[in-house]
Amino acid sequence: MISDDRPIFQQIAERICADVLAGAYPEETQVPSTNEFAAFYRINPATAGKGVNRLVDQGILYKRRGIGMFVAAGARDRLLEQRRQEFDDRYVAPLVAEAHSLQLPPEDVLGLVRSALGRSPAAAPTRQESTP
């Protein structure tokens, strides 16, 4: 579950965010403690704490002194908005730039996107498959 490609604390934060988005941690529910994350992933508690505190700084989690960390009200909506913005920045903007460079009319681009969306996810090429 933990990989070497990104800092561990970042992966912990991403895992918590994914679980919030999936509904595993609804708003106002408690998330595991930093010690529980540390034991589960066999990492230093300070590393787990850094990932959790990152989410506190972003307003995704909040601390109840003496009790633990909880998912903040509105956290799921904030995460969805962040993900939408990242999607736009990482995928839509480059797609539009490439479409402009190829002088593709908007209706052709929309047709290509609709066609791709209509394919099953298993049939769509993955990022790894499409790179040499």
Side-chain angles (χ1 to χ4, degrees):
M1 179 105 116
I2 296 291
S3 64
D4 291 335
D5 64 340
R6 291 178 331 284
I8 294 171
F9 76 90
Q10 184 179 14
Q11 294 178 63
I12 297 291
E14 290 169 356
R15 178 76 260 156
I16 295 168
C17 289
D19 288 345
V20 169
L21 286 170
Y25 301 132
E27 294 177 2
E28 301 300 332
T29 61
Q30 189 171 11
V31 298
S33 71
T34 55
N35 287 334
E36 290 171 318
F37 281 120
F40 183 79
Y41 292 109
R42 295 185 179 154
I43 59 173
N44 186 309
T47 302
K50 189 173 179 181
V52 169
N53 286 330
R54 184 178 207 195
L55 298 179
V56 170
D57 293 344
Q58 294 174 7
I60 304 302
L61 300 179
Y62 68 95
K63 195 179 300 186
R64 285 190 188 163
R65 187 173 278 278
I67 300 175
M69 296 291 189
F70 290 78
V71 178
R76 188 170 190 282
D77 290 338
R78 278 192 293 285
L79 288 171
L80 284 171
E81 184 54 37
Q82 283 177 351
R83 292 274 177 99
R84 286 182 185 117
Q85 187 59 52
E86 290 170 8
F87 180 79
D88 185 31
D89 295 344
R90 281 181 79 180
Y91 302 106
V92 177
L95 171 82
V96 170
E98 184 67 12
H100 281 299
S101 72
L102 296 173
Q103 300 178 349
L104 289 172
E107 53 276 356
D108 288 0
V109 176
L110 290 172
L112 290 168
V113 170
R114 283 189 184 101
S115 175
L117 288 171
R119 285 182 247 150
S120 71
T126 64
R127 195 174 189 95
Q128 290 89 13
E129 293 171 349
S130 62
T131 56

